[in-house]
Each structure stands twice: as C-alpha cells, then as structure tokens.
C-alpha cells in the first residue's frame, strides 16, 4: 500500500512516517521545508532502514499538485499534516493561514475524488472544541467559535471533508482531533525542533532547561484548576503517530460505518502547566527557571480528551506517561544541541 504523507518531515509527520514504514507501508513524503529540514529524512532512514521517497513541493501550487497525483496514480491514501500551525501568527496573517491550510486541502481532495477508492486522514485539533462545557471532552461536544484563524482552519477543514464525503462515496476519511503532542522517538533520531521561538509549552521548557531561553513564562496562576494553571492533555508523539496507522487500517479494511468519522486522540488525563514543569524537573534533575505572569488572552482553562471512541473502535490507546514523554523530549533537546 502506497501512502502520501504531506508535511512528512515535520514533528508529527515524521513520527507517523516511521510507524507506517514499520508496518510495511510504502511512503511518499511531500514537504515544502518551511518549518522542517530535509535532514529529518536521515533520522527516518536510520530508524526504519528504509528511505522514503521525498518531493519538495508547495501544495499551494495547484498545477504541481495535479502533476504529482498524475505521476503517483497508484497512491492508496493520504495523511495530510501540511499546514501552518502558529496561533499567534494566524491572528497576524489570517489570509496566509486560510490559503495554506484550506486551499491545499481542497486541491488534494479534488485529486482524491477522481480515484475509484481513496483513504484520507486529516490532522485536526482539539482547538475545535474551545472551552468545552463538560470534561473530559467527547467527539459529540459542540464545536465552539474558533479563537484564532488557525483554529478556524481546522473547523472549516473538517466541514470541507465532511461535505466532500457526502457526495463522494469512493472517498473514505477520518479526522483525528489531537490534544497536545510532545516527546521524541525513543531512538532520539527524530523529535520536535521548532524554528524560531517555540509556540508550545514543552519545547519552551526544554529550551529553557538547556539554556537557550532565559526563563519560562507561566501565563496565570489564578485559573479555576487545582494549582491555578491551565490544564491540557499531553500525548507522546509516538502514541499519536500509531493512532494514524490504526485509523488508516480501518479505512483500508472498509471497517468504517460511515465514509467520514472523527476521533479524539489524547491520553484522557489532564496535566497543569506546573505539573508539566514538575515532570521536567523530575526527569532532568534540574530546577527550571520560570515566572508567573499575567494570563494570556484566549487561553482555554482546561481541555482533556475522552478517548473511549478511539480505544473501542480503532483499538488504540496511548501507552506513555507524562514523565516518559518528557524524558524523550529532554533527551532529544540535549542531543539536537550537541550535533
């Protein structure tokens, strides 16, 4: 089976390519290298013993997307990660995000709709829920008005896929709503290496721990949570990658009851910002330099997943603890700074 992974040299994409190749899938990667490096190919190859096919391509160029699908007419499916993902930047550059995250999705679906049968997995996000009314969050929770253009692209993206599937029975699709990915591959050959200032908590913690950042700002300690800091569901990136493989197997086996389904992918457990800091201090043996500052506008108080649907239907469950995920993130940070 031949699978296209867009954004396959990024953080989640690269780990998913590894799991796909470990399961015997033939993988083709498209990446424009705007937030990744071609060196990641070496890490994937070192882990799996097989170098995936790679094409540098900007998916916003429709003619090149059409040409790619003509040259790879034997593709069985697509896992679509390629997207801009910085919430703050999306507020400043909304049109860039709508073009990059939605135009590219449309071009890919147009090509897949021409095939007799195709499987499609979309990289969605728990941001579609906003501040949920009930915790843990199930897939039936209402989708709230997005807090940012980035979040809106995930909501609209799901709507585009749903509408397309209604009129295209040959297209089998699943949206995976991620919570908060972290960590690195246990070999420490691939991991998260943000370009510029990290947008996520864990790489900011590890960069502070290794001395790149002077200190970590904790945005607010007066939220209605046990320790006053925001709560999120942190999932090891390898567990997340394996969820994509299980979702793909479901589509290819024809086990899906509908040709469009949605699944939460998380651990089912919430951890506060201070608990994540304590995890880092445990696994690293270092005290982290952090400071409590004012709340950040738009931050959700608490969000963690109900994963029963994925556990039951996909037969998937997260395996790693917060400390295990943090330990791999810290080992990756140290290694990546010494190379």
């Amino acid at each position: 089976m031949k699978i296209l992974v867009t954004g396959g040299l990024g953080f989640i994409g690269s780990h998913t390519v590894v799991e796909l190749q470990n399961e015997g899938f033939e993988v083709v990667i498209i990446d424009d290298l705007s937030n990744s490096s071609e060196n990641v190919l070496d890490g994937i190859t070192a882990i799996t013993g097989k170098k995936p096919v790679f094409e540098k391509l900007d998916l916003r160029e429709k003619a090149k997307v059409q040409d790619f699908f003509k040259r790879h007419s034997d593709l069985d499916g697509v896992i679509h990660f390629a997207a801009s993902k910085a919430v703050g930047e999306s507020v400043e550059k909304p049109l860039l995000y709508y073009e990059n995250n939605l135009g590219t999705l449309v071009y890919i679906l147009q090509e897949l709709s021409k095939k007799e049968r195709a499987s499609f997995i979309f990289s969605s996000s728990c941001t579609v829920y906003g501040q949920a009314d009930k915790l843990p969050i199930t897939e039936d929770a209402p989708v709230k008005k997005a807090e940012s253009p980035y979040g809106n692209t995930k909501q609209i993206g799901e709507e585009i896929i749903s509408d397309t599937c209604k009129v295209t029975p040959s297209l089998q699709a699943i949206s995976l709503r991620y919570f908060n990915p972290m960590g690195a591959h246990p070999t420490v050959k691939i991991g998260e290496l943000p370009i510029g200032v990290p947008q996520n908590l864990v790489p900011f913690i590890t960069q502070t721990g290794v001395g790149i950042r002077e200190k970590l700002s904790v945005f607010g300690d007066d939220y209605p949570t046990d320790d006053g800091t925001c709560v999120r569901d942190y999932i090891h990136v390898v567990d997340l990658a394996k969820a994509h493989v299980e979702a793909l197997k479901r589509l290819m086996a024809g086990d899906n009851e509908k040709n469009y389904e949605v699944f939460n992918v998380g651990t089912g457990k919430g951890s506060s910002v201070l608990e994540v800091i304590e995890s880092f201090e445990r696994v690293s043996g270092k005290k982290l330099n952090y400071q409590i500052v004012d709340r950040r506008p738009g931050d959700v108080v608490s969000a963690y997943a109900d994963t029963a649907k994925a556990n039951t239907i996909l037969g998937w469950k997260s395996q790693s603890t917060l400390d295990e995920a943090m330990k791999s993130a810290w080992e990756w940070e140290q290694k990546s700074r010494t190379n």
Side-chain angles (χ1 to χ4, degrees), residues 168-238:
T168 316
S170 60
L171 181 62
Q172 312 293 311
I174 285 176
S175 285
L176 297 180
R177 292 173 176 168
Y178 314 156
F179 281 69
N180 293 69
M182 63 177 287
H185 196 270
T187 62
V188 205
K189 294 185 184 298
I190 56 173
E192 186 172 14
L193 194 59
I195 295 174
V197 179
Q199 300 294 320
N200 300 324
L201 175 63
V202 173
F204 212 112
I205 286 175
T206 58
Q207 288 192 11
T208 304
V210 86
I212 295 172
R213 308 290 161 193
E214 181 185 351
K215 64 184 173 185
L216 170 75
S217 293
V218 176
F219 298 103
D221 63 350
D222 58 350
Y223 285 97
T225 60
D226 287 347
D227 62 21
T229 62
C230 292
V231 170
R232 297 290 184 271
D233 187 337
Y234 294 91
I235 178 171
H236 197 303
V237 66
V238 173

Side-chain angles (χ1 to χ4, degrees), residues 256-275:
N256 46 317
E257 296 171 5
K258 302 173 183 176
N259 70 328
Y260 179 58
E261 298 176 311
V262 173
F263 294 92
N264 285 339
V265 186
T267 66
K269 180 181 183 299
S271 299
S272 72
V273 174
L274 290 182
E275 286 174 331

Side-chain angles (χ1 to χ4, degrees), residues 1 9 24 31 61 75 89 101 109 117 136 169 194 232 254 261 279 285 295 304 310 319 330 332:
M1 294 290 187
L9 297 183
D31 202 299
E61 299 183 53
L75 281 172
E89 183 185 52
N101 293 10
L109 291 176
R117 180 179 171 86
R232 297 290 184 271
E261 298 176 311
S279 173
R295 290 188 183 192
Y304 55 95
Q319 301 296 322
W330 177 232
W332 164 254

Side-chain angles (χ1 to χ4, degrees), residues 103-176:
T104 59
L105 172 63
V106 169
Y107 298 158
I108 290 170
L109 291 176
Q110 284 174 336
E111 296 307 308
L112 290 181
S113 296
K114 299 172 186 176
K115 299 176 76 68
E116 288 185 11
R117 180 179 171 86
S119 299
F120 182 77
I121 295 176
F122 179 59
S123 167
S124 191
S125 168
C126 65
T127 58
V128 302
Y129 298 118
Q131 179 58 66
D133 301 323
K134 295 180 181 179
L135 294 170
I137 303 168
T138 71
E139 289 84 354
D140 296 326
V143 171
K144 301 287 186 73
K145 178 174 172 55
E147 298 284 345
S148 68
Y150 163 73
N152 203 25
T153 64
K154 294 303 182 183
Q155 292 183 7
I156 297 170
E158 288 194 10
E159 292 169 0
I160 289 170
I161 299 163
S162 177
D163 289 342
T164 305
C165 285
K166 285 174 186 174
V167 296
T168 316
S170 60
L171 181 62
Q172 312 293 311
I174 285 176
S175 285
L176 297 180

